[in-house]
Amino acid sequence: MVMGILLAIVAGALVSLQTIFNNQVNARAGSWATTTLVLGMGFIASFIASLIFEGSATFSLQNMKPWYWISGAIGVGVVFCLVQGIKRLGPTFATSIVLIAQLSTALLFDTTGWLVAQKIPLTPGKIIGVLVIIAGIIVYKFGDRWVGKAARSKKPSTSHTLGQ
C-alpha cells in the first residue's frame, strides 16, 4: 500500500509538472501541435521503456479487447482539454477541476462496476470526501474574495491610530 501511495504522489507531481510544460509549449506551438508533441514524445519514451523493461512482451497483445485500443484517443482528449483549460483558467484552478472530475468519475465507475471496475459500495464517507475536496477548491479559488470583502466591509476606526 505504501508503494501505491508513493507512486500516486509521484504521478500527481508529474502530471502537474507536465501541465506546466504543456502550457509553455502551447504558448509557442498551438493546441494541436502541443497535443501531437506531448503524445508523440510520450510514445517514444514509453516505447523505449517498454522494450527495456518488458522486451518482446511489449508486442504480446493477443488478449486485449478491441475497445481498449481507444485509450490513446482518450489521451488526445485529455491533453487537448487540459491545455485549453489551463489557458483559460490557469494551472492550479484547471488542475483542481480536473482532479474533481477524475475523482468523481472514478467514484462513479467504482460504485457501478462499469468498464470492469471492481464494484465497491457508495458510502456517505465517500460522498463527504468528494464534497470536502470540492469545498476546498472553492475556498482556494474564491476564498480571497470573501476574506477581502469582509476586510473591506470593516470600517477603520478613526478614534485610535497606531502609536498613540
Side-chain angles (χ1 to χ4, degrees):
M1 183 165 165
V2 171
M3 183 55 93
I5 291 170
L6 290 174
L7 289 170
I9 290 169
V10 170
L14 290 175
V15 167
S16 294
L17 183 62
Q18 182 190 26
T19 299
I20 293 167
F21 280 92
N22 290 356
N23 193 39
Q24 293 302 311
V25 173
N26 183 60
R28 290 158 182 82
S31 298
W32 287 111
T34 299
T35 303
T36 303
L37 290 168
V38 166
L39 294 176
M41 293 301 294
F43 168 76
I44 292 168
S46 62
F47 187 67
I48 291 169
S50 179
L51 290 175
I52 291 169
F53 294 108
E54 296 178 356
S56 63
T58 296
F59 305 104
S60 297
L61 305 172
Q62 67 272 11
N63 294 326
M64 188 175 314
K65 295 180 180 170
W67 56 281
Y68 290 156
W69 288 88
I70 67 167
S71 67
I74 293 170
V76 170
V78 169
V79 172
F80 180 80
C81 291
L82 189 53
V83 165
Q84 290 299 309
I86 289 169
K87 185 176 172 180
R88 289 167 171 78
L89 302 172
T92 305
F93 191 44
T95 302
S96 299
I97 293 170
V98 167
L99 292 175
I100 291 171
Q102 186 176 3
L103 181 61
S104 299
T105 303
L107 184 61
L108 175 69
F109 283 101
D110 279 349
T111 57
T112 60
W114 291 349
L115 297 179
V116 196
Q118 182 181 357
K119 192 172 183 177
I120 60 169
L122 181 63
T123 63
K126 288 179 178 57
I127 295 170
I128 290 169
V130 172
L131 293 175
V132 166
I133 291 170
I134 292 170
I137 291 168
I138 290 170
V139 169
Y140 175 85
K141 180 63 180 172
F142 301 108
D144 290 341
R145 291 181 189 171
W146 298 326
V147 170
K149 185 183 277 189
R152 286 190 303 270
S153 68
K154 292 181 181 178
K155 297 192 185 220
S157 174
T158 57
S159 61
H160 301 293
T161 60
L162 229 54
Q164 288 185 346

